């Protein structure tokens, strides 16, 4: 794969607004999870972003108003991201920058609210409900493209919890074929009744804060996040982090359960290594998908051990953020760049006792050490597996 | 400019039951029958998956399988790009109705079938495929966006790519946007190198110049009416040109830009 430079990035999650706040939460081992009180759900914990109810979109974007786009708007405004894209827009031209963003549920919360205000006689939704700019799956790509003043190709990628990870690979294809020179990649997923009550129906919500890799782990905590990166063809002057490889597979096994043998995850990780032309021992840290369910973490441990053996440090950061659905790919990609830039590994949060059946190198304490390359995993319903490799270009 | 070659086609629409049976209509040799879209039951799925599979899943799997058979490629040998504006509206509606009542539990099966990539997941299970899938939404521009992406992927990965498009109208009270009345699915096998059995070559480019529906409308008014009412049926102009083995150039609108497609016969 052609390496792609990350020339700018931004992130908002329960860890905080922007990269500095995110880094501080990781360093201080301060979780963003708190008891859930959202959309009538009071079970479990959530990684909620503060201030969304108060945040107003700029007037020209008012038609897009919904929780998901407020969250995306906060991300575009954090870390000087919109300004960096404006600079790239001048340099490359607005037509040469694509928007490739991932979401699982888009602005469905707006639709849920509309369903609570149906006309009692006709069943019609309120006339004020704007499906196209909120719930429709393309709404996020439209919003980001409009907000950033871009005129390149735009698409929403929706492959469940792997959405914003897979967006990196889709953007890489567009850049490789010459359809664009750069891409704004990333995504947004926000709290909604669908996700909270859907995972409750699957009996996958932990009553307490999620603790991936713990012997007594008992499910996920739902979170919300939005983040974006500007990806450009690798150039000489770039001193920052580069996307070196991406790999993806399908399980072809079950819609919502992972393959117990981890074959799909193994294929995605090996595919990403091959695309980066790196051996397994060049990876110094693996940021796991690590959702905190019994089956997911066990299958991923098996897969990571197959690829890396027991020696490579790995951890899940979902004990901080919760599982942010389709946005976990870009959230954890941003965490990977922070780990590389600042030379540290965030050990799993909230682990009392590590699952003794695990054989991979799961860490449970933060560690300072220089890192050459970091792999980030994201897996999703439908049996989608995606792995990304980040590092400094050789 | 990105070039790919078409090696197989699948199709299900009103009065358009498969590529071979539709050739007469697509070439303008006979009128389209006023029939509803046939929804085949895919033999590929195991009985328990078949029970769970909704209308759009059955439709998408049928055209994907047809296209791969047409291209004489094993089902598990291609990467996939799925494009759908609406996904499975029936499933989403049932969940939204349940969510409107505070204490009713959601159906776990409906919940996992509600993801936009459920159809692609059932495809990879049915095909026994470990090849990657991506699932795109682009509202009324879904065909142009997914075509640009699929051609790019074939070129970047040097692999055959299945492009599978499907859409059905959302059920009320959800808005009948952008698919209205028409149920439609089409699949194309795109190769980076010219195959022996080649149905046409495509050159696909993006430009920031606006286009309108008329710039990509099928020639036949009856087919144009389908394209106007279903994002997947925007592929009918391409299907016409491939059926007629004609050189063609048209522009698919994508927001304030366009995806330009140049078709040339392989003869």
């Amino acid at each position: 794969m052609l390496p792609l430079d990350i020339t700018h990035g931004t992130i908002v999650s329960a860890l905080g607004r922007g990269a500095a706040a995110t880094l501080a939460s990781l360093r201080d081992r301060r979780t963003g999870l708190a008891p859930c009180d959202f959309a009538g759900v009071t079970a479990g914990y959530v990684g909620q972003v503060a201030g969304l109810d108060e945040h107003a979109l700029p007037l020209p974007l008012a038609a897009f108003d919904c929780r998901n786009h407020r969250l995306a708007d906060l991300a575009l405004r954090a870390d000087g991201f919109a300004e960096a894209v404006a600079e790239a827009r001048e340099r490359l031209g607005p037509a040469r920058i694509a928007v490739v963003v991932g979401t699982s549920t888009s602005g469905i919360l707006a639709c849920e609210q509309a369903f609570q205000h149906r006309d009692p006689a006709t069943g019609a939704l309120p006339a004020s409900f704007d499906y196209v700019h909120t719930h429709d799956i393309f709404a996020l790509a439209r919003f980001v493209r409009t907000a950033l003043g871009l005129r390149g190709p735009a698409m929403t990628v929706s492959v469940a919890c792997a959405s914003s990870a897979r967006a990196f690979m889709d953007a890489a294809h567009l850049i490789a074929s010459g359809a664009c020179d750069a891409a704004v990649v990333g995504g947004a997923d926000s709290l909604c009744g669908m996700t909270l009550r859907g995972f409750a129906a699957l009996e996958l919500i932990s009553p307490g804060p999620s603790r991936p890799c713990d012997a007594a782990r008992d499910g996920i905590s739902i979170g919300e996040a939005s983040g974006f990166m500007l990806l450009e063809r690798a150039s000489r002057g770039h001193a920052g982090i580069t996307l070196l490889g991406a790999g993806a597979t399908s399980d072809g096994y079950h819609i919502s359960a992972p393959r117990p043998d981890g074959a799909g995850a193994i294929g995605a990780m090996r595919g990403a290594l091959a695309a980066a032309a790196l051996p397994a021992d060049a990876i110094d840290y693996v940021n796991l998908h690590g959702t905190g369910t019994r089956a997911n973490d066990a299958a991923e441990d098996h897969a990571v051990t197959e690829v890396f053996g027991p020696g490579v440090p790995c951890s899940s950061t979902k004990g901080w953020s919760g599982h942010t659905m389709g946005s976990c790919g870009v959230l954890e990609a941003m965490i990977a760049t922070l780990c590389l830039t600042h030379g540290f590994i965030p050990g799993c949060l909230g682990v009392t006792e590590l699952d003794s059946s695990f054989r991979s190198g799961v860490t449970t304490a933060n560690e300072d050490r220089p890192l050459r390359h970091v792999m980030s995993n994201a897996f999703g319903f439908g049996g989608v597996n995606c792995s990304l490799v980040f590092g400094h270009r050789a | 400019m990105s070039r790919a070659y078409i090696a197989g086609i699948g199709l299900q629409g009103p009065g358009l039951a498969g590529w071979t049976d539709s050739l007469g209509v697509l070439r303008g040799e006979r009128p389209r029958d006023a029939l509803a879209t046939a929804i085949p039951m895919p033999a590929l799925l195991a009985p328990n998956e078949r029970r769970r599979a909704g209308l759009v899943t059955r439709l998408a799997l049928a055209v994907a399988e047809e296209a791969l058979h047409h291209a004489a490629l094993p089902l598990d040998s291609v990467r996939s790009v799925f494009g759908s504006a609406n996904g499975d509206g029936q499933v989403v509606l049932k969940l939204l109705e349940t969510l409107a009542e505070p204490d009713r539990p959601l159906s776990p099966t409906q919940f996992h079938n509600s993801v936009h990539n459920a159809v692609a997941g059932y495809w990879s299970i049915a095909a026994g495929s470990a090849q990657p899938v991506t699932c795109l939404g682009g509202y009324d521009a879904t065909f142009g966006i997914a075509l640009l992406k699929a051609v790019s992927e074939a070129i970047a990965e040097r692999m055959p790519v299945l492009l599978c498009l499907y859409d059905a109208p959302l059920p009320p009270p959800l808005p009948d946007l952008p698919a209205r009345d028409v149920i439609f699915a089409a699949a194309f096998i795109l190769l980076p190198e010219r195959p022996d059995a080649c149905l046409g070559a495509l050159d696909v480019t993006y430009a920031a110049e606006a286009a309108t529906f008329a710039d990509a409308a099928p020639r036949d008014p009856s087919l144009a009416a389908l394209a106007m009412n279903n994002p997947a049926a925007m592929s009918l102009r391409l299907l016409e040109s491939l059926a007629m083995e004609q050189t063609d150039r048209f522009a698919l609108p994508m927001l304030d830009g366009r995806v330009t497609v140049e078709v040339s016969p392989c003869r």
Side-chain angles (χ1 to χ4, degrees), chain A residues 202-222:
Chain A
L202 290 169
E203 299 179 340
L204 289 175
I205 302 279
S206 171
S210 176
R211 42 192 166 152
C213 304
D214 193 290
R217 69 186 178 281
D218 52 5
I220 69 174
S221 301
I222 309 276

Side-chain angles (χ1 to χ4, degrees), chain B residues 83-103:
Chain B
S84 177
N86 286 342
D88 195 334
Q90 296 289 349
V91 172
V92 174
L93 174 68
K94 283 178 196 145
L95 291 163
L96 284 164
E97 285 176 338
T98 309
L99 286 166
E101 294 172 47
D103 297 315

Side-chain angles (χ1 to χ4, degrees), chain B residues 237-249:
Chain B
R237 171 66 172 254
L238 173 60
L239 289 164
E240 277 185 337
S241 300
L242 294 169
M244 290 187 262
E245 299 180 64
Q246 271 189 4
T247 300
D248 192 16
R249 182 189 165 95

Side-chain angles (χ1 to χ4, degrees), chain B residues 37-142:
Chain B
T37 302
I39 314 293
M41 185 55 84
L44 282 178
L45 282 177
N48 62 329
E49 253 108 31
R50 226 178 284 170
R51 256 197 324 277
R52 291 175 183 179
L55 180 149
V56 290
T57 302
R58 288 187 274 150
L59 195 62
L61 263 54
V63 296
E65 189 182 3
E66 182 191 356
L68 278 156
H69 284 319
H70 191 192
L73 287 173
L75 300 183
D76 63 355
S77 66
V78 292
R79 303 170 70 97
S80 310
V81 174
F82 286 77
S84 177
N86 286 342
D88 195 334
Q90 296 289 349
V91 172
V92 174
L93 174 68
K94 283 178 196 145
L95 291 163
L96 284 164
E97 285 176 338
T98 309
L99 286 166
E101 294 172 47
D103 297 315
R104 259 179 74 194
L106 263 55
S107 149
T109 303
Q110 278 171 9
F111 175 61
H112 71 214
N113 279 346
S114 73
V115 294
H116 198 66
N117 61 316
V119 166
Y122 282 116
W123 164 253
S124 57
I125 293 168
S129 176
Q131 296 290 343
V133 298
T134 193
C135 301
L136 307 177
Y139 196 63
D140 56 0
T142 295

Side-chain angles (χ1 to χ4, degrees), chain A residues 70-134:
Chain A
R70 290 183 186 197
L71 181 55
D73 192 55
L74 281 188
L76 294 177
R77 287 155 186 277
D79 291 319
F81 188 75
E83 291 78 6
V85 173
E87 183 278 321
R89 195 176 62 206
E90 294 300 310
R91 183 161 44 87
L92 301 168
R96 298 299 299 166
I97 304 175
V99 170
V100 186
V101 288
T103 187
S104 184
T105 48
S106 196
I108 195 172
L109 180 65
C111 198
E112 294 174 11
Q113 290 159 346
F115 265 75
Q116 288 172 354
H117 297 95
R118 292 173 73 169
D119 185 298
T122 65
L125 300 177
S128 60
F129 173 57
D130 185 342
Y131 172 83
V132 174
H133 291 91
T134 59

